[in-house]
Amino acid sequence: MVEAASTGEDNMASKNMDTLQMLIGGPNFSEDRTTEEFKQKMAAAISPDVELHEASSLPHGGVHKGLENFGKARGIMMGLWDQKLDVVSTWEVPDADVIVVMYMMEWTAKATGRSASLPGVEIVTFKDGAIAKLEFFHLDTKAILDTLDES
């Protein structure tokens, strides 16, 4: 469940929270982020010069700048794992144009069927109401990588 922090304006969600809610608030976000509908939501929510920061130890890790590189990194991740993401909490920092999202995640490797469940935190930075930067912090990247091990 996404919880909007008060912005001080009649308890209305901010433009940033509206953008995030549009992207992650739908019924299919938890388990299917491969649909054309979700891809259209991403295109509407994400800035063309977006930056994605992922742990360098992961196959899709590193800093990926621009929509094309964002898509490539996402393609690697979605090609290796099925994921289930449940939003635990969100915290908005309006003065910084930042929303912090805590997830409980399940990563299931497509090749092995092995799974790992762990929390993760994402710092989402906005510019003009669009997602400009995503920084993801996984509790245990080794557990994620272990799902790929066929032994």
Side-chain angles (χ1 to χ4, degrees), residues 7 20 26 39 53 60 66 69 74 76 81 83 86 88 105 110-112 116 121 127 133 139-140 149 151:
T7 62
L20 185 68
K39 290 176 186 175
H53 297 245
H60 58 283
N69 291 323
R74 188 172 182 276
I76 293 168
W81 290 281
Q83 294 177 318
D86 291 314
V88 175
M105 304 178 70
K110 291 180 179 184
T112 67
V121 172
K127 182 178 180 185
K133 182 166 43 170
L139 179 66
D140 187 350
D149 186 0
S151 58

Side-chain angles (χ1 to χ4, degrees), residues 19-38:
T19 298
L20 185 68
Q21 180 64 36
M22 181 269 300
L23 188 60
I24 71 173
N28 294 328
F29 175 75
S30 176
E31 296 186 29
D32 189 1
R33 291 174 321 287
T34 61
T35 65
E36 190 57 38
E37 177 186 1
F38 186 77

Side-chain angles (χ1 to χ4, degrees), residues 4-14 92 94:
S6 173
T7 62
E9 298 178 13
D10 300 321
N11 290 328
M12 299 288 293
S14 70
E92 184 169 17

